[in-house]
Amino acid sequence: MKVSGLTAALLLGATGALASATPKVGKVSYDGYKAYRIATSGKDAAAIKDKLASFAAVQFNFDTQEHLDVAIAPEEVSAFEALSLPTTIMSEDLGAEIATEGNFGVYEKNVSTSAAVPSLTWFDAYHAYADHITFFNDLAASFPQNSEIFTVGSSFQGRSIFGIHLWGSGGKGSKPAVYFHGTVHAREWITAKVVEYITYKLLVDYSTDTAVKAILDKYDFYILPFVNPDGFVYTQSTNRLWRKNRQTRSGASCVGTDVNRNWPYKWELTGGASTNPCDETYKGAAAGDTPENKALTNFTLSLANSKGIKLYIDWHSYGQYILTPYGYNCQARPANQARQNALAQGLANKIREKYGTRFTYGPACSTLYATTGDSTDYITDVAKAEFAWTIELRPGGSSSGNNGFVLPAAQILPSSVEQWEGMKYLLANV
């Protein structure tokens, strides 16, 4: 969910007008870019941005009170280091890490079964978008009594926004909804992998694990791994650090709208999104005016009007946060905030048990930063979900091994396993 400029031409002190402009032909290269974490200590953030205004840089994060994560073009590294800012190294060569991450794995089936169940080697690497579609089709084909593929609509470029519906005893559509979104911000590749692992475990372990059976018998799951498919495909073909959708607009030279600032609730407020089509948090010309959001809001309301939504999670990266409502106001709290805090704390504790990974929890605005027109506020107040959270996955606040959005493939499975352990706790207790 964090915000960044996307091309070498982005100036940190500017509006980001060049970040979302129609790109040049060819794949965007980050070869030789060096990524730094700059300590800001809150009051220093604006002054540091002023010093960087003349650099061609890529800013990774928006919550700059404690630190500013930024990648510097190779020809400007010496000048940047001459500023003597308080920095630590995040990446020695961002382009090299992107290249390694882009060594997509071969999709394999589990040879020990006669069904088309995907192999767990799926979580050893990242994969091409077409393989993700095959992964979900094969899962649904392997468990036809408990799952099916569905679509909620189409993206701006006409790709299906698909999901998988899971159910247990009582049949499909008979229980309250648990509802997951992944990859609304295109560059956050780890989110798709995590929701895929959770989906995999719910189906594969249903017949052998009594705790999993109890969860799937209690809720219907609706899991949408790619709510921004156009953007995700673009990260694989052209610009690994692309964030928004790929919507063009008449009279605008810049491409894309932030689908998670376009939900038709508190959209009109200021301070949590941008009205500039060239900015990374561009909210759109009107509330809910992206094709993706129109499809998502209609589907969300259909769940709300059926059996209701018990739990919604919008999966993002990075930062290691569990964020409860609200984003639009730092003082606003839901009526069940105490219960939300207790569950979020329990989730953070359970995640930490596996590998020691620490997650910070709390209301989104006061814990991280203000957002308007976001999904969790809409799903809390309009769709009346009992719990609607954002989870920001690895990496976290430590500079060591923190590559931002380019999370090494070796961290896919640990990220997924720790979230699965947390989800088992959460789903047993909501």
Side-chain angles (χ1 to χ4, degrees):
M1 193 170 71
K2 299 197 174 191
V3 181
S4 81
L6 298 173
T7 71
L10 175 60
L11 303 182
L12 291 178
T15 62
L18 294 177
S20 300
T22 303
K24 296 179 180 179
V25 175
K27 196 163 188 174
V28 176
S29 173
Y30 295 98
D31 290 350
Y33 272 67
K34 197 169 181 177
Y36 300 83
R37 169 157 290 180
I38 309 168
T40 60
S41 302
K43 64 181 185 301
D44 299 331
I48 290 173
K49 286 185 180 182
D50 286 342
K51 290 182 179 181
L52 296 176
S54 62
F55 286 79
V58 182
Q59 184 180 344
F60 281 2
N61 67 318
F62 191 59
D63 52 315
T64 58
Q65 288 302 301
E66 295 182 358
H67 58 85
L68 174 63
D69 295 347
V70 61
I72 302 294
E75 63 272 16
E76 294 190 326
V77 165
S78 294
F80 172 81
E81 292 185 344
L83 295 174
S84 298
L85 297 171
T87 62
T88 50
I89 301 295
M90 293 173 61
S91 171
E92 291 285 354
D93 187 341
L94 188 61
E97 289 166 359
I98 289 173
T100 299
E101 181 195 49
N103 292 326
F104 293 154
V106 176
Y107 177 48
E108 299 177 350
K109 306 291 180 62
N110 189 340
V111 296
S112 65
T113 66
S114 58
V117 179
S119 167
L120 273 173
T121 59
W122 176 259
F123 301 99
D124 293 340
Y126 294 99
H127 291 80
Y129 180 63
D131 284 348
H132 286 278
I133 296 172
T134 303
F135 173 90
F136 280 99
N137 284 334
D138 284 349
L139 270 182
S142 299
F143 300 95
Q145 302 305 313
N146 298 100
S147 65
E148 67 180 4
I149 302 297
F150 66 94
T151 61
V152 302
S154 298
S155 67
F156 179 78
Q157 294 179 336
R159 293 182 176 86
S160 292
I161 302 172
F162 74 91
I164 188 167
H165 178 193
L166 316 180
W167 63 87
S169 62
K172 63 180 180 180
S174 63
K175 306 294 171 61
V178 172
Y179 180 27
F180 293 164
H181 282 181
T183 330
V184 63
H185 293 148
R187 60 189 169 211
E188 297 168 10
W189 287 9
I190 187 60
T191 65
K193 286 293 186 178
V194 166
V195 299
E196 285 167 348
Y197 188 82
I198 293 169
T199 304
Y200 184 97
K201 295 295 285 183
L202 284 167
L203 287 173
V204 171
D205 292 358
Y206 177 72
S207 62
T208 59
D209 188 317
T210 56
V212 174
K213 186 177 189 305
I215 290 168
L216 198 53
D217 285 347
K218 189 176 181 182
Y219 300 111
D220 275 60
F221 285 76
Y222 302 86
I223 299 171
L224 281 67
F226 298 97
V227 299
N228 177 12
D230 298 347
F232 182 76
V233 169
Y234 192 72
T235 65
Q236 295 197 329
S237 68
T238 306
N239 189 337
R240 173 61 184 89
L241 297 181
W242 186 262
R243 168 185 167 92
K244 301 185 288 183
N245 75 355
R246 294 294 299 161
Q247 185 172 0
T248 57
R249 293 179 183 269
S250 177
S253 62
C254 294
V255 175
T257 300
D258 185 343
V259 177
N260 202 39
R261 301 296 187 276
N262 190 240
W263 288 76
Y265 182 69
K266 305 300 183 183
W267 177 91
E268 71 284 357
L269 299 182
T270 60
S274 174
T275 58
N276 183 342
C278 298
D279 284 353
E280 295 289 47
T281 58
Y282 176 53
K283 65 197 294 185
D289 71 348
T290 62
E292 294 85 359
N293 192 267
K294 289 176 182 177
L296 294 170
T297 52
N298 287 339
F299 180 69
T300 299
L301 291 177
S302 74
L303 294 181
N305 294 330
S306 180
K307 300 298 181 181
I309 301 171
K310 183 70 173 184
L311 170 68
Y312 167 77
I313 296 178
D314 193 9
W315 299 88
H316 288 264
S317 71
Y318 60 97
Q320 294 172 198
Y321 291 96
I322 301 163
L323 301 174
T324 66
Y326 290 98
Y328 76 89
N329 185 311
C330 289
Q331 284 71 51
R333 299 288 186 270
N336 64 344
Q337 185 64 52
R339 176 71 173 142
Q340 302 226 26
N341 288 343
L343 286 169
Q345 181 181 37
L347 174 58
N349 290 342
K350 186 57 65 173
I351 292 169
R352 188 170 66 249
E353 284 181 10
K354 193 65 181 177
Y355 304 111
T357 313
R358 294 184 176 274
F359 275 68
T360 301
Y361 66 91
C365 182
S366 57
T367 303
L368 196 56
Y369 52 74
T371 57
T372 51
D374 71 62
S375 64
T376 53
D377 289 354
Y378 178 93
I379 292 175
T380 296
D381 282 1
V382 179
K384 304 299 182 184
E386 189 169 349
F387 305 99
W389 294 359
T390 295
I391 293 182
E392 298 273 2
L393 297 167
R394 294 186 183 193
S398 171
S399 297
S400 177
N402 181 354
N403 299 44
F405 301 109
V406 187
L407 191 70
Q411 292 197 42
I412 294 172
L413 191 57
S415 298
S416 301
V417 169
E418 68 191 9
Q419 291 302 319
W420 171 239
E421 294 301 317
M423 284 300 104
K424 286 192 291 183
Y425 159 82
L426 184 62
L427 293 165
N429 287 279
V430 292

